Amino acid sequence: MAKWFETHLPKIVLAPSFIAILIFVYGFIAWTAWVSLTRSRLLPKYQIEGFIQYERLFDSPRWDTAMNNLYIFGGLFIGVSMILGLILAILLDQQIRVEGAIRTIYLYPMALSMIVTGTAWKWILNPGLGLEAMVKGWGYENFTFDWLVNPDMAIYTVVLAAIWQSSGFVMALFLAGLRSVDTEIIRAAQIDGIPTWRVYVSIIIPSMAPIFLSAFIVLAHLAIKAFDLVIALTGGGPGYATDLPATYMYAMAFSRGDIGQAAASAMIMMLVVFAIVVPYLYSELRARND
Amino acid sequence: MTDVSATPATVASERPRGRSFGKIALRWLLYIVLGLFALYYLMPLFVMVTTSLKSLEEIRTGDLLSLPRELTFDAWRTAWSEACTGIQCEGVKPYFWNSVMLAVPAVLISTLLGAMNGYVIAQWRFRGANIIFALMLFGCFIPFQVVLLPMARMLGIMGIAGTIPGLIFVHVIYGLGFTTLFFRNYYVTIPVELVKAAKVDGAGFVRIFFAIFLPLSIPIIVVSVIWQFTQIWNDFLFGVSFSQAGTQPVTVALNNIVNSTTGVKEYNVDMAAAIIAALPTLLVYIVAGKYFIRGLTAGSVKG
């Protein structure tokens, strides 16, 4: 008996976590998927009725806005963060004397809660008292910068704050990548008299392709999950102009009492994440098992 | 990260051409650009601090970037113990302590479980261990919206809905994937011969873990603790979904203060409350930034 216990102890130790993950991740996903196929409103119903919730979802102008916002927000956030991160990493890779301090400054926003970031930017972008008022105070009376309260522009304030928060992190990823490039090749290229910028464009950056992929995955994941920042910065408004799928789901689940819609929108969010993450995880795990 | 001597810039500057005027100018430009970016990242923090130290009167008349003419800490006192989060007006203090009481056990439990899981998966391989790891890892990536509804019901069934233990439970469950990943990747680099030798000497599963592996694990424990602490302290989604009046974490309280519509808008109080909510993770970052970055990049950079 004691022998059996000792040989199976590793499995016994792992079992609670594994069972917890099975129930609270996979079981819960199954529950949400099930409910998304029913007519649940305030309370869940378990009789499957087909794709009626998804039809309602795709007919809803609010969901339409949320998805459009996700494209705008996701595209700009990922694109600009990557470009900015790469530029900063290359600039910092030039034997900068105070590199450590600069890196610390560029990266600290990542330690902040999105709620804090949203609160800070909400104040900075406040048209009456923030940046706009400051520039007006300098004598440019016609200056307007009212993105925060302008339904057409409000989503860009979310982009602005999110880039501020995450670009330092992308910089750190790229910097680690730059430092891991095979130095022999670089030295050889330099002996051949190839200018530094060409070494970057033709040798270093192409060899960092896996890091671009990692950065993309992490940022895409952040974009799809974006919730707190919108809540703190715009509250999803004006109206629902800055709704994202995550805020739509939350509104349906907890303030509209429409569980069916909440479940369906959550499932769509998960499908988007699946489409991005699964191929990546698959290739990662395969590479590591070799 | 240590081998900076071979970056292109070094090799370039070693070329016999010497330091021409153009080179020095370029160098200056580089520092100016880096400095401007540093200002960009620091600006919101600067604005938060200065705004929190101004009186409302000065905020209305002065401008965003100016230093306070008269330092006042009233806003800090109000934010800490008087500001209204809805109908209650006790400041962020009780919620700050909620966050502490929530984060400390959740961080410790999830790190300990992650260490044991990682130890089993990396060193006591059995059939199916890799599939279990893949399933756990995948749990890191799901958007939590997909588990919010069933979790709300489950917490109700378990009788811990709206309580701090309930939130601890949620954070432990959804932190497991990451902590297991950290420790598994760390332990996988330790040769299996170590366990074999210890087994020959008669040590069992538990002793090998506590006597050999845990003492080797200090760096990864620090990474895991910092990662989990930052995640849990900064969490808003679980906090706002699974808490009720009185058990909310500090991020939820901050959002309620900023967006409460009663009374005069006190921007200086908002900023002071935001800084208070940010201080713990900011301190951790300043003290142990190296480990913070390691946690961030774990899994996203190969090797």
Side-chain angles (χ1 to χ4, degrees), chain A residues 208-256:
Chain A
M208 293 205 309
I211 304 211
F212 277 89
L213 184 65
S214 303
F216 173 79
I217 299 283
V218 174
L219 291 172
H221 193 237
L222 280 176
I224 297 161
K225 294 219 279 194
F227 172 71
D228 345 10
L229 188 58
V230 178
I231 296 291
L233 190 59
T234 64
Y240 49 78
T242 50
D243 244 356
L244 285 175
T247 56
Y248 180 90
M249 186 275 163
Y250 186 83
M252 292 300 147
F254 294 99
S255 43
R256 290 289 196 87

Side-chain angles (χ1 to χ4, degrees), chain B:
Chain B
M1 274 264 211
T2 45
D3 186 18
V4 285
S5 60
T7 53
T10 338
V11 190
S13 62
E14 277 163 8
R15 266 185 249 159
R17 239 182 281 158
R19 303 193 69 125
S20 61
F21 173 76
K23 269 230 158 98
I24 295 170
L26 210 62
R27 206 81 197 136
W28 271 96
L29 186 68
L30 179 63
Y31 275 97
I32 289 170
V33 171
L34 286 172
L36 286 176
F37 272 108
L39 288 181
Y40 160 71
Y41 286 109
L42 284 173
M43 183 269 287
L45 187 64
F46 172 82
V47 169
M48 280 163 80
V49 174
T50 52
T51 303
S52 75
L53 297 171
K54 290 175 187 173
S55 65
L56 264 187
E57 179 55 32
E58 200 183 330
I59 289 173
R60 280 200 206 91
T61 54
D63 72 44
L64 190 68
L65 291 175
S66 64
L67 286 166
R69 280 190 300 270
E70 236 177 291
L71 282 186
T72 159
F73 291 91
D74 289 351
W76 282 74
R77 194 178 320 113
T78 311
W80 180 244
S81 55
E82 290 159 30
C84 298
T85 55
I87 39 169
Q88 267 137 338
C89 296
E90 310 160 284
V92 293
K93 184 171 68 179
Y95 307 99
F96 187 91
W97 294 121
N98 282 349
S99 277
V100 172
M101 303 219 299
L102 153 74
V104 172
V107 167
L108 295 181
I109 297 170
S110 59
T111 297
L112 185 68
L113 286 175
M116 297 201 305
N117 293 342
Y119 169 62
V120 171
I121 292 169
Q123 295 284 338
W124 295 80
R125 296 183 192 163
F126 51 85
R127 255 165 40 125
N130 272 328
I131 294 170
I132 292 180
F133 179 57
L135 285 173
M136 292 185 77
L137 194 57
F138 189 74
C140 300
F141 288 96
I142 57 160
F144 291 133
Q145 279 74 16
V146 86
V147 298
L148 278 190
L149 291 168
M151 186 50 104
R153 296 181 72 77
M154 180 62 94
L155 291 174
I157 293 168
M158 292 166 72
I160 48 175
T163 66
I164 289 179
L167 272 177
I168 294 174
F169 178 77
V170 173
H171 280 297
V172 168
I173 297 285
Y174 296 109
L176 272 180
F178 269 106
T179 55
T180 302
L181 169 74
F182 290 143
F183 284 94
R184 183 264 181 194
N185 284 359
Y186 188 76
Y187 290 150
V188 96
T189 60
I190 297 174
V192 277
E193 282 70 32
L194 195 64
V195 170
K196 279 186 192 147
K199 270 205 256 180
V200 170
D201 287 344
F205 174 85
V206 177
R207 246 192 86 200
I208 299 175
F209 178 64
F210 283 102
I212 302 177
F213 278 83
L214 220 46
L216 283 175
S217 316
I218 305 297
I220 201 68
I221 291 175
V222 176
V223 168
S224 173
V225 165
I226 289 178
W227 169 267
Q228 280 296 91
F229 179 74
T230 314
Q231 291 298 306
I232 295 170
W233 187 275
N234 288 343
D235 162 72
F236 179 74
L237 181 62
F238 288 148
V240 76
S241 305
F242 302 136
S243 66
Q244 58 194 33
T247 61
Q248 286 138 333
V250 70
T251 48
V252 177
L254 169 63
N255 189 53
N256 288 344
I257 289 176
V258 174
N259 291 316
S260 89
T261 42
T262 47
V264 192
K265 204 83 209 74
E266 295 180 289
Y267 297 101
N268 48 0
V269 174
D270 292 354
M271 291 303 125
I275 299 170
I276 293 170
L279 266 185
T281 49
L282 214 46
L283 270 181
V284 165
Y285 172 67
I286 291 165
V287 173
K290 197 178 78 180
Y291 295 97
F292 177 76
I293 297 164
R294 266 183 67 181
L296 276 179
T297 51
S300 41
V301 182
K302 278 192 188 177

Side-chain angles (χ1 to χ4, degrees), chain A residues 128-209:
Chain A
L129 295 160
L131 266 182
E132 182 188 286
M134 186 177 78
V135 176
K136 275 188 176 158
W138 291 343
Y140 303 95
E141 282 300 332
N142 293 322
F143 179 81
T144 49
F145 189 53
D146 60 351
W147 288 8
L148 197 59
V149 293
N150 180 340
D152 294 327
M153 302 305 283
I155 189 66
Y156 297 101
T157 63
V158 183
V159 175
L160 214 63
I163 290 171
W164 176 80
Q165 175 134 27
S166 306
S167 48
F169 163 63
V170 185
M171 181 273 306
L173 272 185
F174 279 131
L175 196 59
L178 287 174
R179 301 276 156 88
S180 65
V181 173
D182 185 3
T183 52
E184 289 300 313
I185 307 174
I186 299 167
R187 206 164 290 167
Q190 243 139 25
I191 290 167
D192 286 349
I194 297 167
T196 307
W197 68 268
R198 280 224 49 194
V199 174
Y200 273 107
V201 172
S202 319
I203 301 174
I204 300 178
I205 292 177
S207 75
M208 293 205 309

